[in-house]
């Protein structure tokens, strides 16, 4: 079957009309419990959690131990379950489960963004072969219906640009640092205690989590399947009050922004970094654990979606929306994959870099420097995006902090000449 063939709609259930659909829930962490309590409070939702599989026996859980079983495979094999909801923490184990469920023609809902970002082409292929249906609204921006909006509503319209705050935890930390003059570490502890953060907080703070989400957005917005490591991700682990003050001195805030953009030559680029955001942007007022996405479409113009991006109930709400969509026969169509634009990284981005390691400035090889402050140890200027991608681990290791101004340009003639003569 062609990889661009339309996807079949979700198959009909054997459950009689009017009966609730039986859910096999795999994982009972923040999202699994969020979904469970939502369904408890909505007895007429049309869904019931029939079986729950977890990894660890004997953990203290809010339900009797008899509700849990340890073999997720048994749920995959249980044809009396109408749908499987996969919400475990481990991306590789999740991929094995979801891929096997699709091979068996099952309906699956997942929230596992890291797993999806690494394996999306394979999972789409399985669906195109007519094997099952997979929805994952909960994987991007919690409660915001952005994937379905891009896939179904904007499936026929070219998009100029998407910019978004896709990670609630880092946004929470930045908000607390800005409003209360809070330090980074206590703000992170607060985000963790509220259940927004990943088990490994570096996924949030070093922007690996929003990078996965940007990969998923690129597939639906442009039809382009990116490998996560192609996309620059820089986070806020090195941020200090100096950086917040620098942004404030310009009348701006620092936000971790994912930018996906169609270039004049038709290619697309994607990157996730801290960025200066001014009051003219709808993202300026997206604070705490909220997420926001600005969609700029060729004909519709600008649209802005804002909502809670993390937490058990908002994310559980997105899972519930996917369950309802499956019941109506909905499946993603990935409508832009047939004419997917190529990915571009031969660009220069304007950044603010604060570091006490002068050699990082040499390493990044700025093509132009517009501002330099010795006392606060920062420079502002243009660097090649590929240099940032190549040296992102070094920047992280040395605690450097990078913020994009938002300006992007084709790689400069001077840099090209240097490359040719090298
Ligand atoms: N850790 C994620 C966040 C959870 O903070 O946004 C939602 O994907």
């Amino acid at each position: 079957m062609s990889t661009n063939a339309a996807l079949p709609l979700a198959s009909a259930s054997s459950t009689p009309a009017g009966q609730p659909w039986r859910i096999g829930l795999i994982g009972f962490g923040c999202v699994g419990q969020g979904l469970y309590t939502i369904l408890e409070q909505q007895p007429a939702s049309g869904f019931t959690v029939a079986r729950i599989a977890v990894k660890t026996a004997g953990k203290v859980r809010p339900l009797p131990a008899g509700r849990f079983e340890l073999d997720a495979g048994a749920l995959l094999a249980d044809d009396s379950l109408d749908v499987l909801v996969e919400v475990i923490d481990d991306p590789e184990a999740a991929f094995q489960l979801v891929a096997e469920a699709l091979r068996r023609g099952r309906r699956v809902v997942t929230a596992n963004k890291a797993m999806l970002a690494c394996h999306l082409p394979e999972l789409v292929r399985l669906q195109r072969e007519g094997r099952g249906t997979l929805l994952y609204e909960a994987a991007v921006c919690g409660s915001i219906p952005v994937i379905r909006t891009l896939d179904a509503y904007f499936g026929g319209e070219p998009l100029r640009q998407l910019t978004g705050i896709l990670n609630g935890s880092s946004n929470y930390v930045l908000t607390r640092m800005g409003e209360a003059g809070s330090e980074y570490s206590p703000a992170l502890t607060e985000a963790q205690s509220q259940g927004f953060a990943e088990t490994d907080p570096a996924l949030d703070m070093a922007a690996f989590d929003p990078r996965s989400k940007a990969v998923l957005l690129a597939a639906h917005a442009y039809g382009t399947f990116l490998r996560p490591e192609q996309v620059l991700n820089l986070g806020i682990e090195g941020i200090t009050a100096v950086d917040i003050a620098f942004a404030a001195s310009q009348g701006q805030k620092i936000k971790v922004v994912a930018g996906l953009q169609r270039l004049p030559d038709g290619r697309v680029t994607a990157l996730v970094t801290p960025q200066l955001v001014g009051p003219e942007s709808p993202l300026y007022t997206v604070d705490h654990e909220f997420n926001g996405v600005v969609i700029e479409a060729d004909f519709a113009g600008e649209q802005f979606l804002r909502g809670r991006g993390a937490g058990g109930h908002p994310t559980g709400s997105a899972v519930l929306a996917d369950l309802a969509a499956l019941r109506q026969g909905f499946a993603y169509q990935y409508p832009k994959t047939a004419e997917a634009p190529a990915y571009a990284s031969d660009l220069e981005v304007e950044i603010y870099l604060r570091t006490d390691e002068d050699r990082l400035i040499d390493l990044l090889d700025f093509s132009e420097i517009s501002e330099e402050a010795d006392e606060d140890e920062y420079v502002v200027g243009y660097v090649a995006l590929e240099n940032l991608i190549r040296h992102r681990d070094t920047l992280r290791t040395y605690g450097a902090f990078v913020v994009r101004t938002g300006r992007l340009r084709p790689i400069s003639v001077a840099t090209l000449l240097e490359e040719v003569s090298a």
Side-chain angles (χ1 to χ4, degrees), residues 231-246:
V231 178
L232 174 66
N233 64 301
L234 297 170
I236 60 165
E237 292 162 309
I239 195 168
T240 67
V242 171
D243 309 310
I244 302 277
F246 172 81

Side-chain angles (χ1 to χ4, degrees), residues 113 166-169 196-198 204 209 213 309-310:
K113 51 259 161 142
L166 312 183
N167 183 267
S169 302
F196 308 143
E198 300 299 308
D204 296 306
D209 173 84
K213 294 165 178 171

Side-chain angles (χ1 to χ4, degrees), residues 112-121 123 208-209 211-216 225-229:
N112 202 318
K113 51 259 161 142
M115 179 277 284
L116 290 162
C118 290
H119 298 289
L120 195 57
L123 297 171
F208 290 100
D209 173 84
R211 180 178 75 171
S212 295
K213 294 165 178 171
V215 166
L216 300 179
F225 290 87
L226 300 173
R227 283 177 288 105
E229 59 278 12

